[in-house]
Amino acid sequence: MLQLQCPVCLKSTEPGMVESHGEYTLYNCPFCNVVYTHPMKNPGAEWYEKGYVEDNAMNEFLPLPINWWHRQFLISNETYGKELLDIGCGAGRFLHEAKNLGYKVSGIDFNSESIRIAKNRFGLADVERLSVESYATRHPDKKFDVITFFEVLEHMDDPNKFITQVKSRLRPGGFIALSVPNRRRFLDSLGEGDYPPHHLTRWNTKALGNFIERHGFEIKKMTVKEFTIDDLSLVMTHKLIARAKKKLTKDVTSRISNNEKTPFIYRNYQMIKTLKDYAMKGALLPFIPVLKIIKPQGWTIYCLARLR
Ligand SMILES: [Zn+2]
């Protein structure tokens, strides 16, 4: 029988198989409740360097709004004004908002184009194309009051090593704030984006809570996003016009890689997307009372925790 060591709680067991995608198989650990990929193989910095083309283009011309998880962090006032490092900061939308609220912000990301936009568009001085590991080498004495890593943990091939590195950059009593996709979510628009090697672990609140507490943190807040009519609209749009959307995205992406970076393209692209969204939301209005009654779980888990 197959025996595997769970990459999160490190216990060896005969795990239950969840599903498989090519060379990767997903297993459920009966001890810590995480679902993990075998092999745990991260596609590396190069892969992230090539991705996020569409997001970067959008952020350059029409900054995307901050996400639900960003808002969860920014509305809690426990950490206002402190020194903050955002791991996987992307184009810096969140850091920009945090800075406006008085945080002293720094950020790192694998994607050099995102870093360029963070500097140019948002005027963020302290953002670098680095991993947590190389950050520690470059700034050996630098510590923070808050470290945030939204939608990052599920990409890590060694979650324990990652959180240990995060801890080593925190001041005593420091905070972490993070988000991961909720594997207990209702419906799904992530599709292949949730498959390995993109996401290597899948979490629910129990697995995440176990993991964070085992590393010496006290959980201050753990919230699952509510499933809303916007989410339903996204799922339906994705399912019904997936092909059309793919073509549109491909078209925009190829123009971006050909350096035809005109705001005009993105305004049109954004406009078509917005119109489709409104049409879909209108058609789905009758479902609002149903969602209010069945209260399905949303796509994301947010967690704020403090070093004991
Ligand atoms: Zn485990």
Side-chain angles (χ1 to χ4, degrees):
M1 277 294 162
L2 175 76
Q3 284 276 331
L4 286 176
Q5 189 189 37
C6 169
V8 174
C9 72
L10 306 179
K11 287 184 179 140
S12 286
T13 179
E14 190 185 306
M17 192 182 131
V18 177
E19 58 193 60
S20 77
H21 300 283
E23 61 176 302
Y24 299 93
T25 307
L26 287 157
Y27 294 99
N28 192 345
C29 172
F31 295 109
C32 73
N33 224 252
V34 79
V35 168
Y36 62 91
T37 303
H38 182 77
M40 282 285 275
K41 209 167 67 185
N42 184 297
E46 291 302 306
W47 196 75
Y48 290 103
E49 174 67 29
K50 284 187 201 125
Y52 306 95
V53 176
E54 195 190 337
D55 273 7
N56 279 337
M58 289 291 180
N59 276 312
E60 179 141 33
F61 296 111
L62 298 160
L64 298 163
I66 55 165
N67 293 98
W68 172 83
W69 46 83
H70 296 141
R71 281 198 307 276
Q72 293 304 302
F73 174 76
L74 295 174
I75 57 172
S76 71
N77 56 11
E78 269 180 285
T79 58
Y80 269 5
K82 294 189 182 266
E83 229 174 308
L84 179 154
L85 172 70
D86 188 31
I87 300 169
C89 67
R93 296 172 292 146
F94 161 69
L95 286 180
H96 174 70
E97 296 286 333
K99 191 179 162 194
N100 288 344
L101 284 171
Y103 285 95
K104 193 167 178 287
V105 300
S106 304
I108 52 173
D109 201 281
F110 279 143
N111 191 293
S112 51
E113 176 68 0
S114 301
I115 291 293
R116 187 188 66 76
I117 297 169
K119 284 179 194 272
N120 293 354
R121 167 107 206 178
F122 296 113
L124 297 164
D126 198 6
V127 285
E128 295 173 273
R129 184 183 181 252
L130 288 175
S131 66
V132 194
E133 219 161 10
S134 34
Y135 189 91
T137 315
R138 185 163 310 177
H139 309 281
D141 301 321
K142 185 81 189 139
K143 300 235 173 181
F144 295 89
D145 305 304
V146 192
I147 299 182
T148 53
F149 42 103
F150 302 108
E151 310 294 287
V152 165
L153 186 63
E154 68 276 15
H155 295 264
M156 294 295 154
D157 55 16
D158 190 343
N160 289 303
K161 188 175 162 199
F162 173 72
I163 197 96
T164 306
Q165 282 165 344
V166 167
K167 265 172 79 175
S168 74
R169 303 281 99 203
L170 269 183
R171 297 200 173 109
F175 288 84
I176 52 169
L178 64 138
S179 67
V180 288
N182 173 25
R183 78 163 193 260
R184 302 281 307 274
R185 62 189 174 269
F186 177 65
L187 298 177
D188 195 2
S189 77
L190 278 173
E192 283 179 26
D194 197 32
Y195 298 167
H198 194 66
H199 291 171
L200 302 173
T201 44
R202 292 183 183 176
W203 305 82
N204 58 13
T205 49
K206 191 180 163 199
L208 186 64
N210 282 342
F211 172 69
I212 301 279
E213 284 180 342
R214 211 172 51 247
H215 280 278
F217 289 92
E218 181 195 354
I219 291 171
K220 295 294 212 181
K221 191 178 177 186
M222 174 90 82
T223 326
V224 175
K225 188 182 182 296
E226 192 189 335
F227 186 90
T228 64
I229 197 74
D230 290 351
D231 300 327
L232 187 60
S233 165
L234 256 178
V235 174
M236 300 306 283
T237 312
H238 190 78
K239 295 227 186 295
L240 293 178
I241 55 163
R243 193 178 292 176
K245 190 168 168 255
K246 212 171 183 176
K247 193 184 168 299
L248 189 66
T249 309
K250 206 175 148 197
D251 187 41
V252 169
T253 310
S254 72
R255 278 164 192 257
I256 295 161
S257 42
N258 289 334
N259 264 329
E260 291 179 38
K261 294 180 179 179
T262 70
F264 178 75
I265 295 169
Y266 304 108
R267 287 214 180 96
N268 281 344
Y269 178 56
Q270 192 68 353
M271 195 181 70
I272 294 166
K273 270 179 98 162
T274 310
L275 283 175
K276 276 177 181 160
D277 281 354
Y278 274 117
M280 185 57 78
K281 263 178 230 166
L284 293 172
L285 281 179
F287 288 97
I288 292 182
V290 180
L291 290 182
K292 288 235 184 301
I293 295 164
I294 61 173
K295 287 192 178 24
Q297 286 197 25
W299 296 338
T300 318
I301 304 169
Y302 167 80
C303 176
L304 176 73
R306 185 172 199 175
L307 202 54
R308 281 181 202 278

